[in-house]
Amino acid sequence: MKRIFIILASALTIMGANAQTTQKLTATKANEYGIVYSLPKTVLDITIETETTVKEPGEFYKYAKKYLNENNPIDKRSVKTVIKNVYVTPRGIADPEERYVVTFKPGNSPYLLINSENLPLAVNTEKTLKNDNPTLPAAQQAEPTPLQTDAAKQVISEEMLQSQSTAKKAELAAAQIYSLRQYRTDLLTGQSESMPPDGNALQIVLDNINAQEAALTAMFAGTTQVSTDVKTITYTPDEEVTDELLTRISAAEGVVDKDDLSGAPMTITVKVIQKGEMPVNEKGNTLPFPKNGFAYRIPGKIEVTLVCDNDVIFNSQFETSQFGITYGLNPNSFTDKKEPLYVILNPVNGAIAEMGDATVQQ
């Protein structure tokens, strides 16, 4: 094994299927049969999806009970943000202290697949570990309220505009609601004096009536808008921590900086539950690192707990490179003339995910 801290030139071929993320490094005479790569450090991408609900009172909320028999109209503006989902996705980044070169025997032209972080994905095979990370949500803007539609402009009559009395405006708005309801009933029962010529035209008229009624009703009952936001914090679990402040969640603004005291604290606890151990032989003796071996990681395992405002919002376990150890494979295994070895690696924690005979791989 040779640990290096400079990047050496290697023969490079871009893989067509993943040209932006995957490269194929081949051991040739041009690079003295040596391939350079890094082992990963595991980081956690903590994605927080928040949901914000904004409630606004209508202009006539005081008259909601009188005219519409609405007992619980929105009577004051409120903004409330809650955590909807939390996703923790482990990801591998190149560890600057874990950079290696592996030298192969000339002959069979073994090759190494690496990703954009220079982390090994596979040796002697173009198969790689399937990415099973969850699909993360996108932020969603709030839908317009009934008062933000074109229909809201249509329902304001000239008499409502001219009136200086809020009570009178409310009375006129309520009367218009009941007129719209009667008109809809007449259309649906075929009793209207001016029926639309066909079904499509009828639906257009009904949709407009419904939109106008919704706008007028919102003037009494109020409006509610719901939107979501998504933010990701990258955290590196280098040591055990207990209730370390990660960020804060504000009721008005969602995820805010951890120094913003307007938000409730979100903390992270990292507990090491297993450290990587060197392999041993049948007698229990530690196996030595192969000479000039192809280095990989035997990962450790941690438990991650996220707490916000005294509630546990996430708890799970992850294998991580930094709580493991580095071991290696004999590089001659990859150039064996009868049974050359292939290996598929996990770029998140550096572990071997699959290995076998390169001549019979499926």
Side-chain angles (χ1 to χ4, degrees), residues 15-270:
M15 296 294 292
N18 299 296
Q20 296 182 351
T21 58
T22 304
Q23 297 175 342
K24 182 178 181 179
L25 305 177
T26 304
T28 66
K29 186 176 180 180
N31 54 31
E32 298 180 347
Y33 303 97
I35 297 180
V36 178
Y37 63 98
S38 299
L39 290 182
K41 173 177 282 191
T42 307
V43 299
L44 304 176
D45 288 331
I46 302 172
T47 300
I48 306 165
E49 182 185 18
T50 54
E51 182 179 83
T52 299
T53 303
V54 179
K55 294 186 177 183
E56 298 276 2
E59 181 181 358
F60 310 134
Y61 75 91
K62 292 182 179 179
Y63 304 94
K65 173 64 177 176
K66 179 178 180 181
Y67 291 116
L68 300 184
N69 199 30
E70 173 62 59
N71 294 318
N72 297 299
I74 298 170
D75 58 3
K76 62 181 179 180
R77 186 178 191 273
S78 66
V79 180
K80 183 179 180 181
T81 299
V82 297
I83 296 174
K84 185 177 181 181
N85 287 302
V86 176
Y87 306 85
V88 179
T89 307
R91 174 169 56 89
I93 61 172
D95 188 337
E97 297 182 0
E98 293 288 335
R99 187 172 293 165
Y100 298 91
V101 60
V102 58
T103 302
F104 296 102
K105 290 172 61 177
N108 291 357
S109 298
Y111 61 91
L112 171 67
L113 296 187
I114 62 170
N115 64 12
S116 57
E117 288 277 348
N118 199 41
L119 303 176
L121 301 175
V123 183
N124 280 352
T125 178
E126 297 187 8
K127 293 193 304 180
T128 58
L129 192 64
K130 183 179 179 181
N131 184 353
D132 58 356
N133 290 334
T135 301
L136 298 178
Q140 300 290 330
Q141 293 185 340
E143 295 289 336
T145 71
L147 295 176
Q148 294 171 331
T149 63
D150 291 338
K153 301 174 184 178
Q154 300 172 14
V155 297
I156 306 299
S157 65
E158 183 176 353
E159 190 175 1
M160 289 176 65
L161 287 173
Q162 293 177 347
S163 176
Q164 301 297 314
S165 168
T166 301
K168 181 61 176 177
K169 290 181 181 179
E171 181 183 356
L172 293 170
Q176 196 165 344
I177 289 175
Y178 291 115
S179 294
L180 287 169
R181 291 176 179 176
Q182 184 60 52
Y183 182 29
R184 181 172 55 222
T185 299
D186 291 344
L187 287 171
L188 292 173
T189 58
Q191 298 179 5
S192 174
E193 296 181 358
S194 55
M195 289 295 296
D198 55 43
N200 289 335
L202 174 61
Q203 189 60 54
I204 292 173
V205 173
L206 290 174
D207 289 345
N208 192 43
I209 291 174
N210 293 338
Q212 290 186 37
E213 181 184 352
L216 288 165
T217 302
M219 294 178 183
F220 292 89
T223 61
T224 300
Q225 284 185 300
V226 179
S227 61
T228 63
D229 193 19
V230 179
K231 292 186 177 179
T232 298
I233 299 169
T234 298
Y235 181 84
T236 305
D238 281 330
E239 59 184 0
E240 286 193 319
V241 296
T242 301
D243 294 332
E244 178 181 342
L245 183 60
L246 183 67
T247 188
R248 289 180 182 270
I249 308 297
S250 166
E253 300 181 27
V255 180
V256 295
D257 189 82
K258 58 185 177 182
D259 295 328
D260 188 339
L261 300 182
S262 68
M266 177 186 288
T267 62
I268 183 170
T269 295
V270 176

